[in-house]
Amino acid sequence: MWSKKTVESSDPDEFVTLIRPADRKLLVTERGQFAARGTLIDIGRIQAQRRYERLSRIMHVEVSRPGIIFLTEPGPEMFLNGATIRYGDIALFSSDKAHLWRLSGSTSWGRRDLS
């Protein structure tokens, strides 16, 4: 069984309720109108998502599954626990830990859970 869901919001507090994972806090760090869109895909045990976020932000996330994260288009760098992720890079993140994740501007990125 598989499913695909697309969500959009201009409210950061609403957006974090619509995406994965469930336990997170988001702080927008740039002036302007927030806009975000996410596509969440589930294929059995495989979970993936692609997101676009318009403004820079910091997010505190606790994840239950390990995975990879990457930029899907050239653009501003993103940072995971202080490590820089550029277009063409793939970053691994571990499960059952808190992560601090920062976008430095309008960013398109993807994530794939590994278990």
Side-chain angles (χ1 to χ4, degrees):
M1 183 74 183
W2 71 275
S3 68
K4 176 184 171 187
K5 177 172 90 171
T6 301
V7 297
E8 292 186 63
S9 182
S10 59
D11 178 351
D13 293 327
E14 176 189 42
F15 189 64
V16 296
T17 67
L18 302 173
I19 57 174
R20 294 189 288 254
D23 187 14
R24 67 221 165 270
K25 296 175 184 157
L26 181 138
L27 174 65
V28 176
T29 58
E30 181 180 5
R31 292 183 143 206
Q33 179 62 43
F34 180 83
R37 178 179 59 253
T39 302
L40 298 100
I41 301 167
D42 294 315
I43 306 170
R45 291 181 38 194
I46 298 171
Q47 292 183 335
Q49 59 184 303
R50 180 177 181 172
R51 295 205 324 234
Y52 166 79
E53 297 177 53
R54 184 169 177 266
L55 300 177
S56 59
R57 56 96 169 141
I58 298 172
M59 184 182 288
H60 177 265
V61 178
E62 293 185 27
V63 295
S64 60
R65 298 169 64 159
I68 59 171
I69 194 165
F70 51 92
L71 294 172
T72 59
E73 297 177 4
E77 301 167 334
M78 66 178 165
F79 304 87
L80 180 64
N81 297 334
T84 303
I85 303 166
R86 296 178 180 90
Y87 183 69
D89 293 344
I90 294 175
L92 299 171
F93 59 87
S94 57
S95 59
D96 299 323
K97 294 186 180 173
H99 299 281
L100 189 61
W101 176 19
R102 180 169 64 92
L103 301 182
S104 57
S106 295
T107 305
S108 292
W109 60 270
R111 171 183 166 178
R112 161 77 162 73
D113 292 344
L114 296 176
S115 64

